[in-house]
Amino acid sequence: MVDPRRIVVLAAVALLALSPGIAAAAPAKSKSAATHAVAPPPPPSPPPEPLPPPKIYLFRGAMGPIFSTGMDRLSEKLTQAGFSADVYEFTLCRLIGNRVISSYKEKAAPIVLIGHSMGGLCSIVISEMAAKENIPISLVIAIDPAHATGDVPLNVERFINIFLSDSVLGGGDVVAVPGYRGHYASYDLKENSRVSHINIEKSDDIHRQILEMVTQLPRIPAQTQADAVPLRYLVPGDTLVELWDSGVRVPVRTGDTMESIAAAHHVPVWTLAQSNSLAENAPLVPGQSIVVPRHLTPPEPTAAMAMPPPARR
C-alpha cells in the first residue's frame, strides 16, 4: 500500500519541476501582447518660425540728391515703420551689391531692392550678382528704370516695374528671363499726363503700397508660386496705379460676365480686358479661364486667391 505522504511529496516535486516552464512562458505572453500594442502618435511638428524682417536697399538715379528725392522720403517711411532701409547712389552699385551678399550670408533675411532711374538698373545688377551666389531676392521694384536695364533673373521671387515707356531718361520696359516662374507685374504710366520721370518716385500712394507689400513679405513663403501669371498693363490716363503682385486664373461659371468677375474680385474691368486680350464687354463661355490680378498676400488655406481691396477708378 502506497503511503499518502509519499504521494503528496511527489506532487510537490512535479509542481516545482513545471514552475520554470510556467515562469518562462509568462514573458513570451507579455512580449506577444507588446507586439500588438499601438504606438502613440508622434508629437505635432512645431510651426515654422516667421522670417526675419526684410533688409531694404534703395537706389537713387543720376544726380539723385536732386532728382530722386522720393527715394529718401520712401526710406524715411520704411524706417519709421521699423524696417532697415538705406538709400545709396547708383554709382556704388557693385560695392553695395557685395555688401548685400555678405549680409545675407552672415544672417539670412529677405532682400528688397528698390531703385529709380539708374537705381532701377542697379537693382537688377545686384539681383544678377546674388544669382551667382544662389541667393534669393524677395522683391525688386524698379521705378522708371533706365533703358539699359537687363532682364529679371530667376532668383527674383517678385518683380514690379512702374515706368513710362516714352521717357527719355527712364523708359526701361524690363522683362523676365526665359523660364522665370516668379511673380511679375509691369505698369506703363505713359498715358498719365501728371506723371514724369522726375516725380514718379515721389508718389505718396505708391509709397503706401510699397510699405504694405514690404510689411507682408515675412509672412510669404520663400518659394515662388507655380500658378502666378505675369501681368503687363498700359494704365489708363488719370488712373491711380494699383500694385498687384501677379495674376491668377479663375474659371468662368454660367452667367459670369467681365463686369461680374471684376466686381467679385474688386478689380477694374480694364485689367481683365488687358490681361486676357478681350474687349471690356466680351462674352464669356463657361469653362474658360480668366486672368485676374491679385495682391501680394499670405496664402489663404481655404481660398484659391486673396481678394484685393476695392480698386480706385
Side-chain angles (χ1 to χ4, degrees):
M1 183 174 181
V2 180
D3 187 349
R5 289 175 296 179
R6 182 177 177 82
I7 294 174
V8 172
V9 172
L10 292 173
V13 171
L15 182 59
L16 289 173
L18 290 173
S19 295
I22 295 173
K29 182 178 180 181
S30 175
K31 183 177 180 180
S32 176
T35 301
H36 296 287
V38 178
S45 301
E49 295 184 4
L51 294 173
K55 292 186 176 180
I56 308 167
Y57 304 85
L58 301 97
F59 300 93
R60 305 184 188 98
M63 300 182 69
I66 298 174
F67 296 116
S68 289
T69 57
M71 304 306 289
D72 296 87
R73 288 165 53 187
L74 176 57
S75 174
E76 292 173 1
K77 295 172 184 177
L78 291 165
T79 301
Q80 290 172 0
F83 295 104
S84 169
D86 297 313
V87 187
Y88 303 95
E89 301 301 325
F90 81 93
T91 52
L92 302 175
C93 188
R94 293 196 174 273
L95 175 64
I96 303 304
N98 289 328
R99 187 179 302 177
V100 170
I101 292 170
S102 298
S103 176
Y104 184 89
K105 289 181 176 180
E106 180 179 342
K107 184 178 180 181
I111 298 171
V112 176
L113 306 175
I114 307 173
H116 171 231
S117 190
M118 289 295 290
L121 182 152
C122 177
S123 297
I124 294 297
V125 169
I126 294 179
S127 298
E128 293 170 343
M129 294 172 64
K132 295 178 181 178
E133 300 287 337
N134 295 317
I135 294 176
I137 304 296
S138 294
L139 174 64
V140 175
I141 300 177
I143 304 176
D144 206 25
H147 276 286
T149 305
D151 297 343
V152 184
L154 298 177
N155 65 321
V156 174
E157 295 168 0
R158 287 172 166 83
F159 176 80
I160 292 178
N161 192 38
I162 310 164
F163 73 113
L164 301 158
S165 60
D166 58 355
S167 171
V168 176
L169 299 175
D173 185 4
V174 186
V175 298
V177 298
Y180 182 78
R181 299 296 298 276
H183 298 245
Y184 172 98
S186 173
Y187 303 89
D188 185 355
L189 304 185
K190 73 172 185 178
E191 293 190 353
N192 192 321
S193 59
R194 297 175 297 174
V195 178
S196 68
H197 180 75
I198 60 175
N199 72 10
I200 189 172
E201 93 292 357
K202 299 177 179 65
S203 167
D204 288 329
D205 185 63
I206 289 177
H207 289 181
R208 174 188 59 79
Q209 295 183 70
I210 290 175
L211 179 57
E212 290 175 357
M213 296 178 73
V214 171
T215 300
Q216 294 200 45
L217 273 181
R219 295 185 285 159
I220 305 296
Q223 69 274 13
T224 56
Q225 297 180 15
D227 64 343
V229 181
L231 299 176
R232 290 183 61 85
Y233 290 128
L234 174 60
V235 181
D238 300 324
T239 298
L240 290 175
V241 62
E242 189 88 20
L243 296 184
W244 293 290
D245 171 58
S246 59
V248 64
R249 298 186 185 278
V250 299
V252 174
R253 299 168 299 184
T254 301
D256 280 346
T257 64
M258 294 282 281
E259 287 190 355
S260 68
I261 292 177
H265 296 282
H266 307 286
V267 298
V269 176
W270 67 262
T271 63
L272 302 185
Q274 289 194 31
S275 295
N276 299 278
S277 300
L278 296 171
E280 293 190 7
N281 60 350
L284 302 178
V285 179
Q288 78 179 98
S289 64
I290 292 292
V291 175
V292 177
R294 62 179 173 185
H295 283 283
L296 185 157
T297 52
E300 296 291 342
T302 59
M305 62 169 284
M307 297 297 104
R312 294 177 290 274
R313 297 174 184 269

